[in-house]
Amino acid sequence: MTIRGLRWVLLAVCLVVGAPAQAGVVPQATTAMSPAQAREDLELAIDAVEAALPNIYWHQSRRAWTMAKAAARREVAGVTDSEALWRVLRPLLGQIGEGHMSVEVSAAMRQAYREAPRFPLDLLWTEEGAFVLAGYGEAAAIPKGSRLVSIDGVTQPDLLRQAVAVTPHDGVIRTGVMRELTGRGFASVLYRLRGAQPSFRVGLDGPA
Protein backbone atom coordinates (compact mmCIF):
# COMPACT_ATOMS: atom_id res chain seq x y z
CA MET A 1 0.00 0.00 0.00
CA THR A 2 1.36 3.40 -0.92
CA ILE A 3 0.30 7.00 -0.43
CA ARG A 4 0.12 8.84 -3.70
CA GLY A 5 -0.47 12.55 -4.27
CA LEU A 6 -0.57 14.71 -7.36
CA ARG A 7 0.97 18.16 -7.95
CA TRP A 8 4.14 18.54 -5.86
CA VAL A 9 3.45 15.56 -3.61
CA LEU A 10 4.73 12.09 -4.35
CA LEU A 11 4.87 10.02 -1.19
CA ALA A 12 5.60 6.31 -0.99
CA VAL A 13 4.91 4.36 2.19
CA CYS A 14 5.35 0.67 1.47
CA LEU A 15 3.15 -1.58 3.59
CA VAL A 16 3.64 -4.87 1.76
CA VAL A 17 5.43 -7.57 3.71
CA GLY A 18 6.25 -11.20 3.09
CA ALA A 19 8.64 -13.96 3.88
CA PRO A 20 12.32 -13.32 3.13
CA ALA A 21 13.09 -14.14 -0.48
CA GLN A 22 15.30 -17.12 -1.23
CA ALA A 23 17.52 -17.22 -4.29
CA GLY A 24 15.38 -17.76 -7.36
CA VAL A 25 12.13 -17.81 -5.35
CA VAL A 26 9.50 -15.08 -5.61
CA PRO A 27 7.78 -14.63 -2.23
CA GLN A 28 3.98 -14.77 -2.21
CA ALA A 29 2.36 -11.42 -1.52
CA THR A 30 0.61 -11.18 1.83
CA THR A 31 -1.27 -8.56 3.80
CA ALA A 32 0.24 -9.75 7.11
CA MET A 33 2.51 -7.41 9.04
CA SER A 34 3.83 -7.05 12.57
CA PRO A 35 2.37 -4.47 14.98
CA ALA A 36 5.80 -2.82 15.05
CA GLN A 37 5.80 -2.40 11.28
CA ALA A 38 2.25 -1.05 11.36
CA ARG A 39 3.29 1.59 13.90
CA GLU A 40 6.38 2.46 11.88
CA ASP A 41 4.40 2.82 8.66
CA LEU A 42 1.80 5.02 10.35
CA GLU A 43 4.51 7.34 11.68
CA LEU A 44 6.21 7.41 8.29
CA ALA A 45 2.93 8.41 6.65
CA ILE A 46 2.30 11.16 9.22
CA ASP A 47 5.83 12.54 8.81
CA ALA A 48 5.52 12.43 5.03
CA VAL A 49 2.25 14.34 4.75
CA GLU A 50 3.27 16.92 7.35
CA ALA A 51 6.50 17.58 5.44
CA ALA A 52 4.88 17.63 2.00
CA LEU A 53 1.64 19.57 2.55
CA PRO A 54 2.11 23.24 3.46
CA ASN A 55 -1.67 23.69 3.72
CA ILE A 56 -2.36 20.75 6.05
CA TYR A 57 -4.40 23.04 8.35
CA TRP A 58 -6.50 24.57 5.60
CA HIS A 59 -9.55 22.40 6.37
CA GLN A 60 -8.80 21.46 9.97
CA SER A 61 -7.38 22.99 13.14
CA ARG A 62 -4.06 22.05 14.69
CA ARG A 63 -5.96 20.64 17.65
CA ALA A 64 -8.15 18.46 15.42
CA TRP A 65 -5.07 17.07 13.63
CA THR A 66 -3.31 16.39 16.94
CA MET A 67 -6.37 14.55 18.27
CA ALA A 68 -6.77 12.55 15.06
CA LYS A 69 -3.11 11.46 15.17
CA ALA A 70 -3.48 10.39 18.81
CA ALA A 71 -6.56 8.33 17.97
CA ALA A 72 -4.78 6.67 15.01
CA ARG A 73 -1.80 5.80 17.22
CA ARG A 74 -4.13 4.12 19.71
CA GLU A 75 -5.96 2.20 17.00
CA VAL A 76 -2.81 0.98 15.26
CA ALA A 77 -1.69 -0.92 18.36
CA GLY A 78 -3.75 -3.96 17.39
CA VAL A 79 -3.05 -3.91 13.65
CA THR A 80 -1.53 -7.08 12.18
CA ASP A 81 -2.26 -6.69 8.46
CA SER A 82 -2.28 -3.97 5.81
CA GLU A 83 -6.08 -4.11 5.46
CA ALA A 84 -6.46 -3.03 9.09
CA LEU A 85 -3.71 -0.44 8.71
CA TRP A 86 -5.60 1.05 5.75
CA ARG A 87 -8.67 1.43 7.98
CA VAL A 88 -6.57 3.45 10.44
CA LEU A 89 -4.51 5.45 7.96
CA ARG A 90 -7.08 6.38 5.30
CA PRO A 91 -9.53 8.23 7.58
CA LEU A 92 -6.61 10.07 9.18
CA LEU A 93 -5.40 11.33 5.81
CA GLY A 94 -8.97 12.00 4.68
CA GLN A 95 -9.35 14.51 7.48
CA ILE A 96 -6.78 16.73 5.76
CA GLY A 97 -9.22 17.35 2.90
CA GLU A 98 -6.62 17.16 0.12
CA GLY A 99 -8.46 15.73 -2.88
CA HIS A 100 -5.29 14.99 -4.86
CA MET A 101 -3.91 12.54 -2.30
CA SER A 102 -4.84 8.88 -2.31
CA VAL A 103 -3.70 5.65 -0.68
CA GLU A 104 -2.86 3.01 -3.24
CA VAL A 105 -3.47 -0.56 -2.04
CA SER A 106 -0.94 -3.34 -2.52
CA ALA A 107 -1.22 -6.25 -4.96
CA ALA A 108 -2.03 -8.55 -2.04
CA MET A 109 -4.87 -6.27 -0.94
CA ARG A 110 -6.26 -6.13 -4.48
CA GLN A 111 -6.12 -9.92 -4.71
CA ALA A 112 -7.95 -10.30 -1.38
CA TYR A 113 -10.69 -7.99 -2.66
CA ARG A 114 -11.10 -9.95 -5.89
CA GLU A 115 -11.55 -13.19 -3.93
CA ALA A 116 -13.91 -11.79 -1.27
CA PRO A 117 -17.72 -11.68 -1.28
CA ARG A 118 -18.88 -8.14 -1.85
CA PHE A 119 -21.96 -5.98 -1.43
CA PRO A 120 -24.45 -7.09 -4.13
CA LEU A 121 -26.02 -3.76 -5.13
CA ASP A 122 -24.94 -0.99 -7.49
CA LEU A 123 -26.17 2.34 -6.14
CA LEU A 124 -26.68 5.87 -7.44
CA TRP A 125 -25.53 8.28 -4.72
CA THR A 126 -27.12 11.74 -4.60
CA GLU A 127 -27.80 14.43 -2.00
CA GLU A 128 -31.35 13.02 -1.80
CA GLY A 129 -30.14 9.50 -0.96
CA ALA A 130 -28.76 6.32 -2.53
CA PHE A 131 -30.86 4.39 -5.03
CA VAL A 132 -30.55 0.90 -6.52
CA LEU A 133 -29.22 0.73 -10.07
CA ALA A 134 -28.69 -3.05 -10.27
CA GLY A 135 -28.45 -6.13 -8.09
CA TYR A 136 -26.43 -9.34 -8.33
CA GLY A 137 -27.17 -12.91 -7.25
CA GLU A 138 -30.14 -13.05 -4.87
CA ALA A 139 -30.30 -9.24 -4.96
CA ALA A 140 -31.01 -9.19 -8.70
CA ALA A 141 -34.77 -9.11 -8.03
CA ILE A 142 -34.62 -5.89 -6.00
CA PRO A 143 -36.50 -3.20 -7.96
CA LYS A 144 -34.40 -0.48 -9.54
CA GLY A 145 -34.95 2.86 -7.89
CA SER A 146 -35.37 1.41 -4.39
CA ARG A 147 -33.88 3.78 -1.83
CA LEU A 148 -31.18 2.53 0.54
CA VAL A 149 -32.17 3.03 4.19
CA SER A 150 -29.45 1.12 6.05
CA ILE A 151 -26.89 -1.69 5.94
CA ASP A 152 -26.51 -3.81 9.06
CA GLY A 153 -28.24 -1.10 11.06
CA VAL A 154 -25.98 1.73 9.81
CA THR A 155 -28.11 4.44 8.19
CA GLN A 156 -27.50 5.77 4.70
CA PRO A 157 -26.30 9.21 5.92
CA ASP A 158 -23.80 7.52 8.27
CA LEU A 159 -22.62 5.21 5.46
CA LEU A 160 -22.00 8.26 3.29
CA ARG A 161 -20.03 9.97 6.08
CA GLN A 162 -17.90 6.85 6.50
CA ALA A 163 -17.27 6.68 2.75
CA VAL A 164 -16.34 10.36 2.54
CA ALA A 165 -13.78 9.87 5.31
CA VAL A 166 -11.85 7.30 3.25
CA THR A 167 -12.30 8.71 -0.28
CA PRO A 168 -10.22 11.58 -1.70
CA HIS A 169 -12.13 14.87 -1.46
CA ASP A 170 -11.46 18.58 -1.16
CA GLY A 171 -12.54 20.01 2.18
CA VAL A 172 -16.20 19.25 2.85
CA ILE A 173 -17.20 18.82 -0.81
CA ARG A 174 -18.94 15.43 -1.29
CA THR A 175 -19.91 15.60 -4.97
CA GLY A 176 -16.81 13.80 -6.24
CA VAL A 177 -17.13 11.13 -3.56
CA MET A 178 -20.71 10.38 -4.59
CA ARG A 179 -19.56 9.99 -8.19
CA GLU A 180 -16.89 7.52 -7.01
CA LEU A 181 -19.46 5.55 -5.00
CA THR A 182 -22.03 5.31 -7.80
CA GLY A 183 -22.11 1.92 -9.52
CA ARG A 184 -19.70 -0.65 -8.06
CA GLY A 185 -17.64 1.96 -6.25
CA PHE A 186 -19.59 1.68 -3.00
CA ALA A 187 -19.04 -2.10 -2.82
CA SER A 188 -15.29 -1.52 -3.00
CA VAL A 189 -15.32 1.18 -0.31
CA LEU A 190 -17.55 -0.92 1.97
CA TYR A 191 -15.11 -3.81 1.67
CA ARG A 192 -12.18 -1.56 2.55
CA LEU A 193 -14.06 -0.25 5.57
CA ARG A 194 -15.22 -3.61 6.91
CA GLY A 195 -13.33 -6.44 5.26
CA ALA A 196 -15.04 -9.48 3.73
CA GLN A 197 -18.67 -10.11 4.71
CA PRO A 198 -20.65 -13.22 3.65
CA SER A 199 -24.01 -11.45 4.03
CA PHE A 200 -25.60 -8.03 4.57
CA ARG A 201 -28.80 -6.93 6.29
CA VAL A 202 -30.10 -4.25 3.94
CA GLY A 203 -32.99 -1.88 4.61
CA LEU A 204 -34.72 -0.49 1.52
CA ASP A 205 -37.72 1.64 0.61
CA GLY A 206 -39.46 0.59 -2.59
CA PRO A 207 -39.36 2.88 -5.63
CA ALA A 208 -42.00 5.60 -5.84
Side-chain angles (χ1 to χ4, degrees):
M1 187 165 66
T2 58
I3 297 176
R4 183 176 58 186
L6 301 181
R7 293 190 236 169
W8 66 89
V9 184
L10 182 58
L11 311 174
V13 181
C14 185
L15 305 179
V16 184
V17 297
Q22 299 176 1
V25 177
V26 178
Q28 183 176 0
T30 175
T31 62
M33 66 192 328
S34 69
Q37 183 180 1
R39 289 192 299 271
E40 180 181 349
D41 286 345
L42 175 64
E43 294 302 327
L44 179 58
I46 290 171
D47 290 345
V49 296
E50 289 183 337
L53 297 176
N55 60 344
I56 196 170
Y57 300 115
W58 186 258
H59 299 294
Q60 63 175 345
S61 67
R62 291 180 182 272
R63 182 173 182 273
W65 179 238
T66 297
M67 292 176 64
K69 288 188 292 183
R73 285 164 175 151
R74 289 192 299 270
E75 293 170 9
V76 82
V79 166
T80 56
D81 63 68
S82 55
E83 299 271 12
L85 179 56
W86 188 95
R87 288 190 281 273
V88 174
L89 178 59
R90 193 62 192 87
L92 175 65
L93 300 181
Q95 178 167 311
I96 298 171
E98 170 52 69
H100 294 84
M101 182 169 60
S102 63
V103 179
E104 185 174 350
V105 301
S106 67
M109 292 172 68
R110 290 194 297 270
Q111 181 63 32
Y113 172 69
R114 287 193 293 269
E115 296 174 352
R118 61 193 69 177
F119 186 68
L121 293 174
D122 287 357
L123 299 169
L124 170 67
W125 288 81
T126 72
E127 291 291 355
E128 288 71 41
F131 302 90
V132 174
L133 293 173
Y136 303 91
E138 295 180 1
I142 293 175
K144 293 180 181 178
S146 296
R147 184 174 65 86
L148 176 68
V149 176
S150 63
I151 300 174
D152 299 326
V154 182
T155 65
Q156 182 270 332
D158 286 339
L159 289 166
L160 179 56
R161 279 192 287 271
Q162 292 174 4
V164 169
V166 298
T167 306
H169 61 280
D170 286 316
V172 297
I173 300 172
R174 307 189 303 180
T175 308
V177 175
M178 289 188 286
R179 284 197 299 267
E180 291 290 327
L181 297 179
T182 291
R184 293 306 284 156
F186 177 70
S188 175
V189 170
L190 191 63
Y191 170 82
R192 293 284 167 228
L193 284 167
R194 299 183 175 189
Q197 280 188 238
S199 62
F200 301 87
R201 182 165 50 89
V202 182
L204 296 165
D205 277 343

